[in-house]
């Protein structure tokens, strides 16, 4: 049990959020219970409506000034590759979709389970692969092929 630093009530430890390591609290938990913290946050937001707009404007400014840095960060965080590796893939595929050969904006196809980058695909092929992959794994490729054969044989 722990006493909330705001309402003063004794509450179970599960009623308190974990504290960040930099705060170094004795229990490793916030001093206010979750309910008081949520109410306090809501009250602060109501008292400072300009903060949301200021934060949005600052974020927009940073993004517009750092587009390349943001793109590089996105490649690294999502796919584990650098801009140079991406450009190498584009060059290796002659700037075309690996499946249909369309020369358009290329998207990184990756395995969602393993995060392994596969190839660069156009939006249509990438969306189709993502959609069909989960269903083919669930029901099998044979069912899809049988359906298409029947559909176009008639």
């Amino acid at each position: 049990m722990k006493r909330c630093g705001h309402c003063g009530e004794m509450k179970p430890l599960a009623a308190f959020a974990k504290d960040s390591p930099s705060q170094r609290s004795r229990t490793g938990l916030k001093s206010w219970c979750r309910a008081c913290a949520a109410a306090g946050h809501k009250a602060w937001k109501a008292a400072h409506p300009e903060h949301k707009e200021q934060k949005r404007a600052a974020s927009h400014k940073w993004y517009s000034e750092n587009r390349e840095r943001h793109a590089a960060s996105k490649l690294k965080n999502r796919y584990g590759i650098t801009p140079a590796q991406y450009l190498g893939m584009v060059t290796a595929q002659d700037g075309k979709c690996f499946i249909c050969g369309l020369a358009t904006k290329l998207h990184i196809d990756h395995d969602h389970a393993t995060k392994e980058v596969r190839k660069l695909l156009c939006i249509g092929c990438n969306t189709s692969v993502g959609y069909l992959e989960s269903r083919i794994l669930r029901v099998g490729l044979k069912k899809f092929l049988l359906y298409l054969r029947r559909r176009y044989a008639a």
Side-chain angles (χ1 to χ4, degrees):
M1 296 289 281
K2 178 179 165 120
R3 185 176 306 279
C4 174
H6 182 70
C7 66
E9 290 182 32
M10 288 296 286
K11 297 188 176 187
L13 296 179
F16 295 85
K18 287 185 179 179
D19 208 354
S20 64
S22 64
Q23 299 297 325
R24 295 200 171 103
S25 65
R26 284 182 288 139
T27 61
L29 301 171
K30 299 275 187 189
S31 60
W32 286 18
C33 68
R34 291 177 194 268
C36 288
H41 183 69
K42 188 174 183 179
W44 187 91
K45 283 173 58 176
H48 300 88
E50 74 285 352
H51 179 73
K52 185 176 182 179
E53 182 57 33
Q54 289 170 349
K55 192 174 179 181
R56 190 201 64 75
S59 176
H60 180 73
K61 181 178 184 243
W62 183 92
Y63 176 77
S64 64
E65 293 171 354
N66 297 281
R67 286 187 191 277
E68 287 181 16
R69 186 174 168 191
H70 176 72
S73 175
K74 190 168 121 178
L75 282 174
K76 193 66 168 171
N77 292 336
R78 284 190 184 171
Y79 309 111
I81 65 173
T82 64
Q85 289 171 311
Y86 174 80
L87 290 175
M89 291 174 72
V90 171
T91 303
Q93 289 182 209
D94 293 326
K96 297 176 183 172
C97 173
F98 186 78
I99 294 175
C100 71
L102 187 63
T104 185
K105 181 180 179 196
L106 298 173
H107 300 263
I108 299 172
D109 177 42
H110 66 287
D111 186 317
H112 287 250
T114 66
K115 307 294 184 205
E116 176 191 359
V117 172
R118 295 186 284 221
K119 296 288 181 182
L120 301 178
L121 306 176
C122 69
I123 188 72
C125 290
N126 195 33
T127 303
S128 297
V129 166
Y131 184 76
L132 288 174
E133 186 175 36
S134 63
R135 280 141 188 91
I136 288 172
L137 291 174
R138 191 166 18 112
V139 299
L141 182 59
K142 280 186 177 179
K143 282 190 175 185
F144 279 93
L145 294 175
L146 285 171
Y147 171 76
L148 290 173
R149 283 190 188 123
R150 284 187 206 138
R151 173 86 170 97
Y152 292 106

